[in-house]
Amino acid sequence: MDRMAEALLNGAAPGQLRDVVLPGEYVAAHLRAEDVDMFAGMDDKDVRKSLRVGPVPMPELAPDEVLVAVMASSINYNTIWSAMFEPIPTFSFLKRFAATGGFAARHDLPYQVVGSDGAGVIVRVGSGVRRWRVGDHVVISPAYVDDQEPAAHADGMLGPQQRAWGFETNFGGLAEYAVARASQLVPKPPHLTWEESACITLCAGTAYRMLVSSRGACMKQGDIVLIWGAAGGLGAFAVQFVKNGGGIPVGVVSSAAKAKILQQLGCDVVINRSELGIDAAPATLAQAVESGKLLGKAIRASAGEDPHIVVDYVGQATFAMSVFIVRRGGVVVTCGSSSGYQHQYDNRYLWMNLKRIIGSHVANLAEQWECMRLFNLGQIVPTLSAVYPLPEVASAARHVQTNSHIGKVGVLCMAPEPGMGVTDPRLRARIGEDRLNPLRDGAGPRGDDPPHPPRLRPRTSEGYRSW
Ligand SMILES: NC(=O)c1ccc[n+]([C@@H]2O[C@H](COP(=O)([O-])OP(=O)(O)OC[C@H]3O[C@@H](n4cnc5c(N)ncnc54)[C@H](OP(=O)(O)O)[C@@H]3O)[C@@H](O)[C@H]2O)c1
């Protein structure tokens, strides 16, 4: 075992952690530049072929960075894009970043350590880091911001050099160690395990900005909010933010099993798009309008009105419907395009009905802290459904790639087993174990899906423990 991992597991004090000699290499999930053409002409770009797990060199630390011993991370859809080398290989982002010079040049390597979530312990701090110390338990926000850019002071996401960590940068979170800027850090929720904490920042932070933030749809009490893919990574958090803010979530899913889980999560209206016959991407705008009418009718039958807000990250397959069904004056908020980024919609429905489309991306650091506060209050809970060990990260990613997952899929990095990292068990008990894990054991494989994910469970008798 890595000496640092051993020290952390033995509860070493910060001073002792500083004395542990760092390894020259660490184990990381990574892509290799020589593989970027491996899927040419293939329909199934199986990420198990491109995602490798093995040793990579330990990078140098810049003055404004910290080295985090990553206890857990999670799979995000951007890692699926990276591992398919689509729409472009992410190595081109690394080159562009490196061209800005200085420490950025480190990022342009023939390999990329991917992963945009992480929870762990700070084991080294750069000379310019003021607010964080070795030994701090943190989660890492994926918003990689240059705080010397003027625009970043209006909103961290607005700086032209803002990047998605572990996607547009190297040294990401699906690894034993990760390099993060101090401006990416948020204290880890003390009542959550490493793997629960590691599934929050990218998806919950993004859903928070899309729905709650004044920069997003700014949802108000009573709003009806349609959420596509409501049992997915972003969706299961979006449902919770809508409920918590006094809105009425309308969740769309593709199977009866997912519909059941969404009901368990407290989603007021659940629509199975397969049952409604709107699961195929409409071939024409006229077909999209017909599907939109079916969906609109189903929403009105259950919620009584058209939606005020539509949360759409599915893209090409759903966007024309989203623009059609959102109410007059309503908002379609988007942060992605899983089914394709070339959206077509009938603009007449937009302008004549004074609808708006809002583009949203991750969350700035202040939004991440506000979002995390809701977890610490127990108002929003993690949506982990399965946990894999780091050596099986490719299977975890395949599970998400084939859409056979529910909520978030976690990955244990340095943590040897699930259930570790809780430092406030009383808060955990107060919020309640069942409430904290609404999706655990809810997901199962279908048909030719990959093998069932390992249901890693805590081994200690009390279930959860800190280091
Ligand atoms: N910009 C950002 O900051 C940001 C942050 C996070 C994620 N994203 C993007 O947002 C998207 C979703 O991320 P995620 O983590 O939630 O992924 P996810 O866990 O895979 O969930 C996506 C959901 O979309 C639904 N879906 C897929 N294809 C569909 C189709 N053709 N029609 C309708 N629904 C479909 C699926 O639900 P059903 O099959 O049950 O309907 C699935 O559960 C990805 O493209 C990701 O890259 C962007």
Side-chain angles (χ1 to χ4, degrees), residues 75-81 142 157 164 202-207 210 228-236 252-255 258-259 271 273-274 278-281 312-318 321 334-339 360-363 399-401 403 405-408 446:
I75 302 294
N76 284 297
Y77 209 83
N78 63 2
T79 291
I80 310 302
W81 290 122
M157 297 309 298
L202 191 136
C203 276
T206 301
M210 289 176 88
W228 289 102
L234 274 167
V252 182
V253 288
S254 58
S255 69
K258 284 188 182 182
I271 293 172
R273 62 186 169 98
S274 312
I278 57 162
D279 48 338
D312 189 330
Y313 31 74
V314 176
Q316 211 167 57
T318 53
M321 277 187 268
T334 178
C335 73
S337 295
S338 303
S339 63
S360 192
H361 192 37
V362 201
H399 194 37
V400 174
Q401 183 184 26
N403 194 19
H405 68 300
I406 299 269
K408 292 293 300 176
R446 303 174 304 198

Side-chain angles (χ1 to χ4, degrees), residues 406-424:
I406 299 269
K408 292 293 300 176
V409 174
V411 176
L412 293 181
C413 298
M414 265 200 198
E417 61 185 62
M420 303 176 90
V422 176
T423 51
D424 190 345

Side-chain angles (χ1 to χ4, degrees), residues 435-460:
R435 170 148 170 72
L436 280 169
N437 284 287
L439 305 187
R440 261 290 166 67
D441 291 334
R446 303 174 304 198
D448 58 355
D449 286 343
H452 204 285
R455 300 257 179 259
L456 297 180
R457 281 292 195 181
R459 281 204 295 265
T460 53

